[in-house]
Amino acid sequence: MAQFLLDHHVLFGNGASTSILITQPRKISAISLAERVAWERGETVGSTVGYHVRLQRKASAKTKLLFCTTGILLRLLHGNPYVAIARQPLLLSAQ
């Protein structure tokens, strides 16, 4: 679903400002889904599609779809509570 939302934003010219964060309950699911979505899009993990789990991060400044664990999301918001306001990310949870 996340990649369809990204494609929609790109189609209507909002792709550059779109940042979609998808939470997963487990580390392995975040990594596996990032790899699957990147494969479906014909990309490598770390470009438009990335992941961030404990002690591992494969993302870049170009990353638009970021799969992460809920712990990483909490750390991100705790470290900078204004990130949700400034970047206006779309949060999707698989729980």
Side-chain angles (χ1 to χ4, degrees), residues 29-41:
S29 20
I31 295 171
S32 298
L33 282 172
E35 290 173 348
R36 172 64 187 255
V37 171
W39 176 80
E40 287 178 0
R41 296 178 65 82

Side-chain angles (χ1 to χ4, degrees), residues 25-66:
R26 302 276 183 258
K27 179 173 139 174
I28 190 71
S29 20
I31 295 171
S32 298
L33 282 172
E35 290 173 348
R36 172 64 187 255
V37 171
W39 176 80
E40 287 178 0
R41 296 178 65 82
E43 304 172 2
T44 59
V45 176
S47 57
T48 305
V49 181
Y51 65 84
H52 188 182
V53 296
R54 188 177 193 183
L55 304 175
Q56 291 180 328
R57 179 178 169 89
K58 204 163 195 184
S60 67
K62 298 185 340 181
T63 300
K64 300 296 180 187
L65 296 174
L66 183 68

Side-chain angles (χ1 to χ4, degrees), residues 1 5-6 9 13-14 21 36-37 42 47 55 63 65 68 75 91 94:
M1 182 171 145
L5 289 171
L6 176 62
H9 282 270
N14 299 323
L21 188 86
R36 172 64 187 255
V37 171
S47 57
L55 304 175
T63 300
L65 296 174
C68 70
R75 252 188 254 143
L91 304 173

